[in-house]
Every structure is written in C-alpha cells, then in structure tokens.
C-alpha cells in the first residue's frame, strides 16, 4: 500500500499489522486488531514482506510491542535491508527496539481516554530520526499537546512532530486553524 501518515506519506510500504493491544483509545480505528489474526512464523512474515517488493516496512497494530517477537521481527527486517518504522502507542517500553528502526511514538492525549498509559521514560530513548504523534480530539487535546511538546523538549528530540485530527471528532480544517 502507500503510507498515509507520518513523514513517509506516499511511500510504497508493506504494513505488518500485529494483533493485540492493551489500550482502548476512544478514537481507535483498528479495533479489529484487538483479537484474531493469524499466527505466522517470523520466516513466513519475512517471505511475505519480500514478495510485496516495497523497501519500506511499517510494523503496526494494535500495539505491536505487545507481541513477544516484535523486537526480533524489527531486527530481522533491518538486517534484511528494509527501511523500517514502528508505530507504537508509547505505553510499552521501546528500549529494546533496534536503533535502525524509526519509532513513531503516539503520545496519548486526554481525549483518547488513555493519557494515563503514556510511558514518559520512552521520551529519553527517542533518536534524532524518530517521530512523535498526537491525535487531537478537541481544543483541550491541542493545548495539552503544545504543553507536552514544550515540557518534554520534543522539537529537540524528534525528527518530526505530527498532529492528526481524530476522525469524526475534529475537522481537519479546525485543527489547521
């Protein structure tokens, strides 16, 4: 598919969606990934990624880091020469994530209903190529996000800070204004 979010928007991308998520954000658009899925060996995943032909791979979920072999998958993808990104909620530790992986850390805003799950220790582990994302539901979320950007020094820690409107809750035009 084509990446529709982050700084790689428009880039041909193979998405590896891992099942399971310990969070229940009010605006979640992938609740279907909470359960089900198909168990696959890492070698089978690598074969499917190879067959797709894209050089960029995004590992996402649910919450991919909730899967015990996610760290190994990320490393194998990097070793195979793929450009790899990880979309994570920020509620699970990222300290074992391969440094070659671009982490997209989705800090949960108050409107998500999961702001208490943010693991702020992850901020110190951001590398200069990583990105931070905020999903905004309302003005309170926007103000909170601006405060967190300053408080955590995110402009100095991340390559990009991404702000997205929550689908159906905030018009993109309103967020842009």
């Amino acid at each position: 598919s084509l990446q529709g979010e982050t700084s790689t928007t428009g880039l041909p991308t193979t998405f590896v969606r891992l099942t399971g998520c310990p969070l229940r954000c009010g605006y979640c658009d992938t609740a279907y990934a909470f359960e089900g899925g198909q168990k696959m060996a890492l070698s089978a995943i690598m074969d499917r990624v190879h067959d797709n032909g894209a050089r960029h791979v995004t590992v996402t979920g649910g919450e991919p880091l909730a899967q015990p072999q996610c760290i190994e998958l990320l490393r194998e993808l990097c070793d195979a020469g793929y450009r790899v990104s990880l979309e994570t909620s920020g509620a699970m530790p990222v300290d074992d994530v391969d440094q070659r992986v671009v982490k997209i850390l989705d800090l949960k805003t108050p409107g998500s209903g999961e702001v208490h799950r943010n693991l702020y220790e992850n901020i110190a582990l951001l590398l200069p190529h990583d990105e931070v994302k905020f999903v905004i539901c309302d003005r309170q979320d926007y103000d909170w996000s601006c405060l967190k950007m300053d408080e955590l020094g995110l402009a100095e820690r991340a390559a990009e800070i991404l702000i997205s409107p929550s689908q159906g809750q905030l018009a993109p035009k309103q967020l842009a204004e």
Side-chain angles (χ1 to χ4, degrees):
S1 184
L2 294 177
Q3 176 60 273
E5 299 182 40
T6 76
S7 64
T8 58
T9 296
L11 191 66
T13 302
T14 296
F15 290 88
V16 178
R17 184 173 301 282
L18 302 182
T19 302
C21 185
L23 283 76
R24 293 297 181 265
C25 300
Y27 52 68
C28 182
D29 62 355
T30 53
Y32 60 86
F34 289 167
E35 54 191 48
Q38 172 187 349
K39 286 192 176 200
M40 295 176 70
L42 286 178
S43 60
I45 296 171
M46 294 298 292
D47 289 344
R48 295 268 300 267
V49 168
H50 177 269
D51 291 347
N52 282 338
R55 298 307 308 154
H56 184 258
V57 179
T58 295
V59 178
T60 187
E63 170 50 67
L65 292 174
Q67 295 300 318
Q69 289 187 291
C70 180
I71 298 296
E72 186 178 350
L73 172 63
L74 294 168
R75 187 183 68 251
E76 285 191 27
L77 288 165
C78 289
D79 289 348
Y82 293 101
R83 181 176 172 194
V84 181
S85 61
L86 169 70
E87 294 181 352
T88 178
S89 67
M92 301 197 69
V94 298
D95 47 339
D96 290 333
V97 173
D98 191 297
Q99 292 191 1
R100 297 170 290 180
V101 172
V102 174
K103 296 180 292 290
I104 291 72
L105 194 70
D106 185 354
L107 283 180
K108 299 305 176 188
T109 59
S112 73
E114 294 285 359
V115 69
H116 63 284
R117 303 292 294 269
N118 287 326
L119 191 60
Y120 291 107
E121 293 83 1
N122 284 333
I123 300 301
L125 302 173
L126 291 173
L127 298 173
H129 63 253
D130 293 333
E131 302 179 10
V132 176
K133 177 181 171 184
F134 296 95
V135 177
I136 308 296
C137 298
D138 54 26
R139 181 64 193 217
Q140 178 189 359
D141 278 357
Y142 176 79
D143 292 341
W144 181 90
S145 298
C146 290
L147 177 73
K148 288 298 177 188
M149 282 185 247
D150 288 340
E151 178 184 306
L152 300 171
L154 295 180
E156 293 80 36
R157 294 184 176 275
E160 301 288 342
I161 299 173
L162 311 162
I163 299 180
S164 300
S166 174
Q167 180 65 29
Q169 292 184 295
L170 184 67
K173 183 178 187 291
Q174 184 180 359
L175 176 58
E177 289 171 350

